[in-house]
Amino acid sequence: AQSVTQPDIHITVSEGASLELRCNYSYGATPYLFWYVQSPGQGLQLLLKYFSGDTLVQGIKGFEAEFKRSQSSFNLRKPSVHWSDAAEYFCAVGLKTSYDKVIFGPGTSLSVIP
Amino acid sequence: GAVVSQHPSWVICKSGTSVKIECRSLDFQATTMFWYRQFPKQSLMLMATSNEGSKATYEQGVEKDKFLINHASLTLSTLTVTSAHPEDSSFYICSAREAQETQYFGPGTRLLVL
């Protein structure tokens, strides 16, 4: 069965430090891959997505992610974190079925120390 | 960019009553819409997928007679929680997809059943 894991439930970083959020997936083929961010009580905002092509994907707000097929990973990175980046981050896998369902990982909560 | 709205943003109702939540794609036509449910501090769980003009496809364990979904037009889907009970209290999020493009999420509706 398809699944998405985010090993880190909660991460705390200092403002200005670099960030890497881990994501691993289990799927029989190369899926569509997404990273979303959710602020408290809000909906989800798309940070970036990978469908095909270049495995290093640039997103909004200075985020990037790299698809590594051999590791079934799609880790999210940011070189310098801002206090406003504190939020919940979800990795998601899009299934190439007729409905293209998206399966979400459990999420990683990011706290930023000023 | 693609914008999805939800109405209402929050609702409080008495146990046994029904509640309707609307999801609209404001600047694009959504061939497919999705309804998710999110409990506090948890990830999104897909409830159902609906295509315009056809019956919704419900995920395993989701009661289709309790969570009625209608996707009558390319810009509007509704979720009706029938005979709501306190255990139905949750954060309901919809998303809309245009053809093969990414899902865009609404801001969510918080339901509290007393």
Side-chain angles (χ1 to χ4, degrees):
Chain A
Q2 300 85 6
S3 66
V4 182
T5 57
Q6 293 179 246
D8 304 303
I9 297 174
H10 184 251
I11 285 181
T12 300
V13 299
S14 298
E15 191 169 18
S18 63
L19 171 70
E20 181 170 32
L21 301 182
R22 296 181 292 167
C23 172
N24 293 93
Y25 66 89
S26 174
Y27 185 53
T30 300
Y32 304 141
L33 296 161
F34 307 86
W35 274 99
Y36 288 90
V37 60
Q38 183 181 35
S39 297
Q42 301 296 315
L44 275 69
Q45 181 181 23
L46 178 69
L47 288 176
L48 47 78
K49 61 187 177 183
Y50 172 78
F51 283 1
S52 65
D54 193 346
T55 57
L56 184 62
V57 181
Q58 301 297 320
I60 63 171
K61 303 184 178 184
F63 286 93
E64 67 176 26
E66 184 172 14
F67 168 57
K68 292 186 177 180
R69 186 190 308 273
S70 62
Q71 299 177 19
S72 296
S73 68
F74 189 56
N75 294 347
L76 181 71
R77 299 192 294 252
K78 186 170 184 177
S80 178
V81 172
H82 189 263
W83 64 266
S84 60
D85 293 325
E88 191 81 17
Y89 290 80
F90 293 98
C91 179
V93 169
L95 308 183
K96 295 179 181 178
T97 63
S98 58
Y99 293 115
D100 283 357
K101 293 194 301 186
V102 174
I103 295 176
F104 285 84
T108 297
S109 177
L110 174 65
S111 296
V112 180
I113 300 173
Chain B
V3 179
V4 176
S5 69
Q6 279 184 244
H7 179 79
S9 56
W10 60 271
V11 56
I12 301 174
C13 69
K14 293 182 179 180
S15 184
T17 61
S18 294
V19 175
K20 179 184 284 188
I21 302 171
E22 293 185 348
C23 177
R24 294 181 184 272
S25 57
L26 298 184
D27 51 3
F28 66 101
Q29 293 186 324
T31 55
T32 305
M33 287 185 169
F34 304 83
W35 286 95
Y36 295 84
R37 183 173 182 177
Q38 185 180 32
F39 291 104
K41 304 283 186 191
Q42 295 188 27
S43 187
L44 281 73
M45 298 298 295
L46 179 65
M47 299 175 65
T49 303
S50 70
N51 287 290
E52 184 264 340
S54 62
K55 290 184 178 180
T57 301
Y58 290 81
E59 294 301 300
Q60 191 172 7
V62 177
E63 300 176 59
K64 61 181 181 181
D65 294 331
K66 181 168 187 61
F67 298 100
L68 300 179
I69 292 172
N70 183 277
H71 192 165
S73 77
L74 286 173
T75 59
L76 173 64
S77 175
T78 60
L79 168 67
T80 301
V81 183
T82 62
S83 187
H85 289 92
E87 58 266 29
D88 298 323
S89 298
S90 190
F91 192 51
Y92 293 89
I93 303 176
C94 75
S95 70
R97 182 173 66 84
E98 177 187 27
Q100 296 298 317
E101 294 298 320
T102 307
Q103 289 186 38
Y104 297 96
F105 286 81
T109 296
R110 190 163 302 282
L111 170 63
L112 177 61
V113 184
L114 302 177

